C-alpha cells in the first residue's frame, strides 16, 4: 500500500492524537516503551482519542490495539494516520515508518488500558524482530487455523496461540510493575463487569507474575500438528519479512 526505497534506521516515536491525551498518558507510556528495545526499525506508536470506524470495521468492536507493518498492510487507516506513515507528496511515497502500534480511543480512556495494550502490542513487535520465524509461524496459525481445522478453531481462544499468551503475560508484568497489581486487577475486573471480552480479561488476571514462558517450545506442538498444511500457506503476511526468514516447515528445526 505504501512504497518508498529510503534507507532504514532505528526510530521509535510515541505520538498522541491530542494534547490532553499526551499530558495524561505520555509519562507512563514512555516507561512502557523503555522496556521494549527493538533495533534497526522505524516504529510509530500512536495513541488515539478519536474513533476510527474503518479500523473497527476491519478488526471488530472488541479490539484494543494492533501491531503491524506499514508496507502492504490491508487495514483501512484514517487519513491522519496515513499522513504520519508516509509523505504522499513524494514520488515514490516516502515512508517514515516500517511498523506501527496503534492504541484505539476507548482503550486510551484509562491509564491501565493504554499501558496494558501498548505493552501487549510492543511484545508483538519484539517477537517479530527477535524471533522472526517463530513469530511468523504463530501469525500463520492465528490467521489460518479456521481453514486448517474448523473444530480446533472453534475450541481455541486467541490467547491459546503462543504469541498471544506471551503478549498477555508481558503486558500484565509491565502494567503491574508500573501501576501496581491492585490497579491492574481493578481494570481487568471492570472489563469483565462491562462484559468487554470477559474471557480474555479473566485469563489476563489469572496469569502469575512468577510464571515463565518459552515461546519456541510452546509453538513447536502447534507446528508439529499442522506442519503439512502450514507448508502450503502464503507467508507474505508481512512485506518486511526477508527471504531468509521464510519458513521451510519440512525441516525438523524449521525455526533456524
Amino acid at each position: 500500500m505504501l512504497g518508498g526505497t529510503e534507507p532504514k534506521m532505528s526510530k521509535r516515536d510515541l505520538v498522541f492524537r491530542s494534547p490532553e491525551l499526551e499530558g495524561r498518558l505520555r509519562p507512563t507510556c514512555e516507561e512502557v516503551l523503555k522496556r521494549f528495545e527493538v533495533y534497526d526499525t522505524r516504529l510509530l506508536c500512536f495513541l488515539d482519542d478519536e474513533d476510527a470506524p474503518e479500523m473497527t470495521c476491519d478488526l471488530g468492536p472488541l479490539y484494543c490495539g494492533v501491531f503491524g507493518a506499514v508496507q502492504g498492510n490491508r487495514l483501512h487507516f484514517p487519513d491522519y494516520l496515513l499522513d504520519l506513515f508516509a509523505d504522499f507528496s513524494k514520488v515514490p511515497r516516502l515512508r517514515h515508518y516500517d511498523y506501527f502500534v496503534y492504541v484505539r480511543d476507548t482503550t486510551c480512556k484509562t491509564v491501565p488500558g493504554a499501558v496494558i495494550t501498548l505493552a501487549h502490542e510492543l511484545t508483538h513487535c519484539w517477537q517479530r524482530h527477535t524471533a522472526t520465524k517463530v513469530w511468523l509461524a504463530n501469525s500463520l496459525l492465528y490467521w489460518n487455523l479456521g481453514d486448517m481445522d474448523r473444530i480446533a478453531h472453534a475450541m481455541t481462544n486467541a490467547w491459546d496461540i503462543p504469541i498471544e499468551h506471551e503478549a498477555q503475560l508481558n503486558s500484565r508484568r509491565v502494567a503491574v510493575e508500573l501501576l501496581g497489581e491492585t490497579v491492574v486487577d481493578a481494570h481487568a475486573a471492570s472489563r469483565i463487569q462491562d462484559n468487554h471480552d470477559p474471557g480474555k480479561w479473566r485469563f489476563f488476571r489469572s496469569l502469575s507474575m512468577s510464571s515463565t514462558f518459552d515461546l519456541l517450545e510452546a509453538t513447536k506442538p502447534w507446528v508439529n500438528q499442522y506442519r503439512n498444511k502450514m507448508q502450503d500457506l502464503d507467508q507474505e503476511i508481512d512485506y518486511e519479512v526477508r527471504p531468509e526468514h521464510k519458513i521451510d516447515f519440512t525441516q525438523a528445526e524449521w525455526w533456524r
Side-chain angles (χ1 to χ4, degrees):
M1 182 173 65
L2 299 175
T5 57
E6 70 285 357
K8 295 181 181 180
M9 62 191 74
S10 294
K11 179 169 73 169
R12 300 192 305 166
D13 290 340
L14 188 58
V15 178
F16 299 84
R17 177 70 171 149
S18 70
E20 184 278 331
L21 196 67
E22 182 169 11
R24 184 162 52 85
L25 297 180
R26 178 175 284 280
T28 316
C29 289
E30 289 279 8
E31 292 300 317
V32 177
L33 199 59
K34 289 176 183 178
R35 286 156 172 78
F36 294 91
E37 294 293 339
V38 178
Y39 300 99
D40 300 324
T41 191
R42 299 170 302 174
L43 173 68
L44 169 68
C45 298
F46 186 85
L47 288 86
D48 210 342
D49 71 346
E50 180 177 323
D51 181 45
E54 54 272 76
M55 295 186 70
T56 304
C57 184
D58 289 340
L59 296 169
L62 296 179
Y63 92 98
C64 297
V66 62
F67 160 73
V70 171
Q71 184 176 357
N73 202 297
R74 294 185 179 91
L75 288 175
H76 294 88
F77 300 105
D79 288 343
Y80 55 84
L81 198 52
L82 288 173
D83 289 340
L84 290 174
F85 286 162
D87 184 348
F88 289 86
S89 68
K90 305 292 184 181
V91 180
R93 297 170 188 170
L94 182 65
R95 273 193 294 133
H96 302 311
Y97 299 97
D98 305 309
Y99 292 90
F100 69 92
V101 166
Y102 177 84
V103 184
R104 70 177 301 185
D105 62 321
T106 52
T107 306
C108 291
K109 290 186 181 302
T110 67
V111 173
V115 167
I116 292 166
T117 299
L118 182 60
H120 183 112
E121 302 304 337
L122 283 170
T123 297
H124 289 320
C125 182
W126 178 80
Q127 291 164 338
R128 159 67 182 80
H129 289 85
T130 61
T132 305
K133 288 189 177 183
V134 182
W135 168 86
L136 179 56
N138 275 268
S139 298
L140 292 170
L141 283 164
Y142 186 93
W143 294 110
N144 295 281
L145 183 60
D147 293 329
M148 295 190 296
D149 189 336
R150 288 187 178 182
I151 295 176
H153 181 258
M155 299 172 62
T156 300
N157 297 303
W159 53 90
D160 294 327
I161 304 299
I163 56 169
E164 290 296 324
H165 186 128
E166 185 175 51
Q168 292 270 19
L169 180 59
N170 281 356
S171 65
R172 178 169 173 78
R173 282 177 174 158
V174 170
V176 168
E177 182 180 341
L178 293 176
L179 305 174
E181 191 167 8
T182 300
V183 171
V184 172
D185 283 349
H187 176 78
S190 72
R191 298 285 77 196
I192 295 168
Q193 184 176 358
D194 293 342
N195 199 34
H196 189 279
D197 210 355
K200 181 189 80 171
W201 289 105
R202 289 190 185 98
F203 174 76
F204 173 86
R205 196 169 58 174
S206 74
L207 290 166
S208 170
M209 299 291 292
S210 62
S211 64
T212 58
F213 190 80
D214 188 316
L215 181 60
L216 174 59
E217 291 303 315
T219 305
K220 286 178 181 178
W222 287 89
V223 172
N224 289 340
Q225 183 172 354
Y226 297 108
R227 184 186 300 273
N228 292 336
K229 292 182 179 179
M230 293 181 74
Q231 182 64 22
D232 297 329
L233 294 176
D234 180 7
Q235 297 189 28
E236 296 293 341
I237 61 174
D238 181 339
Y239 283 74
E240 298 289 341
V241 172
R242 296 190 292 270
E244 63 268 26
H245 290 149
K246 297 298 177 65
I247 305 172
D248 182 357
F249 286 106
T250 66
Q251 300 297 312
E253 296 186 343
W254 51 267
W255 59 89
R256 296 195 184 280

